[in-house]
Amino acid sequence: MSDDDVDHELLALMRQKFSLGGANPNAPPETKVLEHAQFIYDNSIDVAISMAHTKLAAIAVSEEMQKREYSTKTWSEHELHPKAKDEATVNFIFTMDLLNFSFWSLRGEEERFTVDYKGKKWTGYWSLVAALQRALEEGIPITSPEFWIDGGEDEQEVRRSDGTATEVMKSASWKDREAPRLPKESFNTGVYPDPPAPRLPNESFDAGVYSDLPSSQQPTASEANVTANVHDGGIEVSDEKTFEDQQDDDSDVWVDALEAQDQEAVGPEQSPKPKEEELVTPQRVRCTEDVLRHVFRSSTNEEIPMFNLRVHCLREAGRVLHDHFDGSVVTLVQDAKGSAAGLVNLLADRFACFKDESTYETKKVRFLKRAQIFVADLWAAFEGEGCGEFNDIDKITMFADYRVPHIMHSLGLISYCPPLEGRIRRGEIIESGHSWEVQIRGCSIWAIELLRREILKIQPNAKVNAILLDFFLYDLAKEKEKAGEEALPHHRTRSIWY
Ligand SMILES: Nc1nc2c(c(CN[C@H]3C=C[C@H](O)[C@@H]3O)cn2[C@@H]2O[C@H](COP(=O)(O)O)[C@@H](O)[C@H]2O)c(=O)[nH]1
């Protein structure tokens, strides 16, 4: 064979080994999370999986899940989870999983971020769910993507004071809009009046940029990413708060205007009471930082961790949904055409704040925890139907956070090398992207896969997948935490990813 001849055998081998020549467009979507988890486990030196404990746990966990009739139905039985199978629930779950990270606190139970709702005090993940439910009850559309982009609608409904006639008024531009004159008491009901128009002309909003930042300060996509990706594979609160600083300025403007309005309302020369026939400005809220601080207010003096990055996640997601999915989460879900892996990949490709990846031994590895838990929550909330119907749901893995690895360690499924266990026991933070953090996350995903396989060996007809195992272990962890049965604390990483 001369040098010019093509060695077709070698080419076929290379194509097969490196899937060269373009991926097969008809191949079903894959997230590669489980493949990467196995790679991490095969190359891990600081985290181990005990097959003996895995076999024992397979018996205990499958028996307990059967006893509790643990299924997708369990999801909606939680007091705070939405029950309806409708678009509002799709939006609720998306909002929840957009912000579903880093609730742990260095403070004690009495001091940590806490949300009072329905007569109870909620912490951790449940504080987020409670805050969202509370906001909706207060009339704040916190689960609406259009609300997040802070530009508000171009149209606003203006009701007559007798509530009968309604006319839709197209506001020429936010700049021209009058600050509303609402009687003071409406403010106290927690229903916020519109803040004064931002200082930008409407066109800056139409340009699809954040509406309340002077264009000179708009975070470009890469800047926003840089803000969002301060650390490889993870994220920390960044100092560059051009975006947030501007938010502070705007909210000051609004607070000043409201105080002036209050003065007006309570000053000696009472502003004339609005005449009955006058139109009452609609009680519509805009997504300013003050409104978000109200949504996530705590009954202790610790604010919700990483508040600025949560605001960033909402703004980014609102803008991406507005620009690419006509502002609708349902459209986003439908674009995945019934594939769970496809929807996970869509989230990771389109939303920086879902792109939960890291590197291990110079190889890029994917965890995609919040993208996967969004699909899993949809599947469970809709019991596998409608927006929760996926033809490949078993491709979803365990969600690599800080809570489930914690219970897996206490069950003996995973164990840590002494230096790592010491670090965790001392409550010292492990940097996001650190090899130890990546090994804990990857080995936890792989351990759940081994547990699932062991359960199917003893019960071939068991209706179990990584999602239900994960949900069950999370709920079990919370029960043990409540009962004070925690041996080792969970590992601590401040990260937007989980
Ligand atoms: N792997 C995994 N991680 C989960 C959950 C959930 C809640 N899922 C609900 C839906 C179905 C289940 O039945 C649950 O009722 C929250 N988290 C994560 O934990 C952390 C919060 O912990 P703590 O501060 O202690 O509340 C944070 O990273 C959060 O993202 C889960 O299920 N699996």
Side-chain angles (χ1 to χ4, degrees):
M1 171 192 287
S2 79
D3 287 352
D4 300 340
D5 292 349
V6 173
D7 180 339
H8 289 285
E9 264 184 43
L10 179 60
L11 182 58
L13 182 68
M14 285 176 73
R15 272 206 177 115
Q16 186 206 359
K17 184 158 175 48
F18 300 109
S19 62
L20 288 181
N24 169 1
N26 303 319
E30 297 295 343
T31 69
K32 296 196 180 303
V33 172
L34 191 60
E35 175 193 324
H36 292 170
Q38 184 173 19
F39 167 77
I40 294 168
Y41 171 65
D42 291 346
N43 295 277
S44 175
I45 50 174
D46 301 307
V47 179
I49 292 175
S50 158
M51 277 318 293
H53 283 89
T54 300
K55 290 177 186 299
L56 289 174
I59 297 165
V61 166
S62 56
E63 279 174 4
E64 187 61 24
M65 286 178 81
Q66 255 185 326
K67 197 168 92 184
R68 297 184 189 200
E69 295 179 349
Y70 204 90
S71 72
T72 51
K73 283 187 184 2
T74 315
W75 193 94
S76 307
E77 288 162 6
H78 287 292
E79 179 182 351
L80 297 186
H81 279 161
K83 314 295 176 230
K85 294 179 171 51
D86 59 12
E87 180 165 9
T89 292
V90 174
N91 285 350
F92 190 96
I93 293 172
F94 185 80
T95 312
M96 187 178 76
D97 287 327
L98 198 54
L99 305 173
N100 190 358
F101 57 86
S102 284
F103 300 104
W104 59 265
S105 169
L106 290 168
R107 301 189 190 190
E109 200 52 24
E110 300 307 312
E111 293 295 306
R112 68 183 293 195
F113 173 70
T114 302
V115 171
D116 285 358
Y117 178 63
K118 285 188 181 296
K120 291 182 183 170
K121 292 188 175 298
W122 306 91
T123 57
Y125 162 80
W126 295 110
S127 65
L128 167 66
V129 189
L132 298 180
Q133 294 286 19
R134 180 178 64 182
L136 291 174
E137 283 181 9
E138 290 176 344
I140 299 174
I142 187 62
T143 57
S144 151
E146 290 302 315
F147 172 69
W148 305 334
I149 43 186
D150 195 34
E153 308 83 71
D154 282 336
E155 297 179 342
Q156 53 177 339
E157 245 185 31
V158 187
R159 282 183 202 291
R160 292 194 180 289
S161 47
D162 61 7
T164 50
T166 300
E167 57 181 341
V168 176
M169 180 181 82
K170 244 193 175 321
S171 55
S173 110
W174 293 110
K175 216 165 59 122
D176 310 337
R177 233 177 39 167
E178 278 303 304
R181 296 171 50 74
L182 289 179
K184 185 166 170 26
E185 53 276 13
S186 70
F187 179 75
N188 295 337
T189 60
V191 179
Y192 281 73
D194 295 318
R199 295 188 295 277
L200 294 177
N202 208 24
E203 51 274 15
S204 67
F205 171 65
D206 292 343
V209 293
Y210 294 132
S211 64
D212 46 10
L213 270 183
S215 44
S216 58
Q217 285 190 33
Q218 284 301 330
T220 58
S222 57
E223 265 169 21
N225 283 340
V226 163
T227 308
N229 287 299
V230 167
H231 270 290
D232 275 354
I235 200 156
E236 300 249 309
V237 179
S238 145
D239 300 333
E240 296 105 61
K241 290 196 188 122
T242 44
F243 178 60
E244 282 78 9
D245 288 346
Q246 185 59 51
Q247 285 288 318
D248 290 339
D249 293 349
D250 277 7
S251 58
D252 292 347
V253 167
W254 177 39
V255 171
D256 295 346
L258 278 172
E259 275 158 15
Q261 188 172 281
D262 282 354
Q263 281 318 311
E264 206 177 285
V266 298
E269 58 294 332
Q270 281 274 346
S271 53
K273 257 190 129 12
K275 292 194 198 66
E276 266 319 294
E277 67 280 5
E278 263 187 11
L279 291 183
V280 174
T281 310
Q283 302 198 356
R284 216 173 46 70
V285 183
R286 284 186 56 222
C287 187
T288 61
E289 186 166 319
D290 279 27
V291 169
L292 290 175
R293 285 196 188 284
H294 173 80
V295 168
F296 296 113
R297 65 190 183 281
S298 172
S299 58
T300 67
N301 58 12
E302 182 178 52
E303 77 165 10
I304 190 168
M306 304 170 87
F307 173 77
N308 287 320
L309 283 168
R310 293 183 201 272
V311 174
H312 179 86
C313 287
L314 288 172
R315 304 275 194 232
E316 184 221 29
R319 201 157 57 81
V320 172
L321 285 167
H322 178 87
D323 296 350
H324 303 288
F325 301 97
D326 27 283
S328 157
V329 181
V330 169
T331 302
L332 163 69
V333 173
Q334 287 167 344
D335 278 8
K337 298 182 176 43
S339 166
L343 183 51
V344 167
N345 290 340
L346 199 52
L347 287 162
D349 296 346
R350 293 285 193 158
F351 300 81
C353 68
F354 278 114
K355 201 174 180 62
D356 174 8
E357 299 174 347
S358 195
T359 51
Y360 187 66
E361 304 290 330
T362 72
K363 175 185 168 72
K364 185 185 89 171
V365 290
R366 306 180 96 197
F367 295 116
L368 305 180
K369 180 253 176 183
R370 288 191 291 106
Q372 291 202 98
I373 205 169
F374 168 62
V375 175
D377 283 338
L378 272 186
W379 172 70
F382 284 80
E383 294 180 58
E385 293 172 3
C387 279
E389 183 176 358
F390 299 101
N391 54 45
D392 59 349
I393 192 64
D394 291 345
K395 286 184 180 174
I396 300 297
T397 72
M398 171 261 184
F399 318 114
D401 69 329
Y402 55 84
R403 185 55 74 190
V404 174
H406 177 214
I407 183 128
M408 290 167 74
H409 180 270
S410 64
L411 294 172
L413 293 174
I414 60 175
S415 56
Y416 305 134
C417 70
L420 172 54
E421 174 143 350
R423 184 82 169 264
I424 293 172
R425 196 173 290 284
R426 293 190 300 274
E428 292 167 9
I429 286 201
I430 299 172
E431 286 293 304
S432 183
H434 187 285
S435 166
W436 278 347
E437 184 227 21
V438 175
Q439 290 179 65
I440 292 173
R441 300 186 80 194
C443 292
S444 298
I445 291 171
W446 189 245
I448 291 290
E449 173 58 14
L450 296 177
L451 178 62
R452 183 188 70 84
R453 292 179 186 180
E454 286 304 313
I455 289 174
L456 290 177
K457 276 182 194 168
I458 53 178
Q459 282 191 19
N461 301 324
K463 289 205 178 326
V464 70
N465 59 16
I467 297 174
L468 290 177
L469 282 174
D470 175 289
F471 282 171
F472 171 76
L473 288 172
Y474 174 86
D475 290 340
L476 191 63
K478 298 307 284 179
E479 289 168 20
K480 284 181 172 293
E481 183 190 47
K482 205 177 271 181
E485 290 171 19
E486 281 191 325
L488 191 73
H490 61 69
H491 74 272
R492 288 174 168 168
T493 301
R494 260 293 179 239
S495 162
I496 191 174
W497 305 126
Y498 61 93

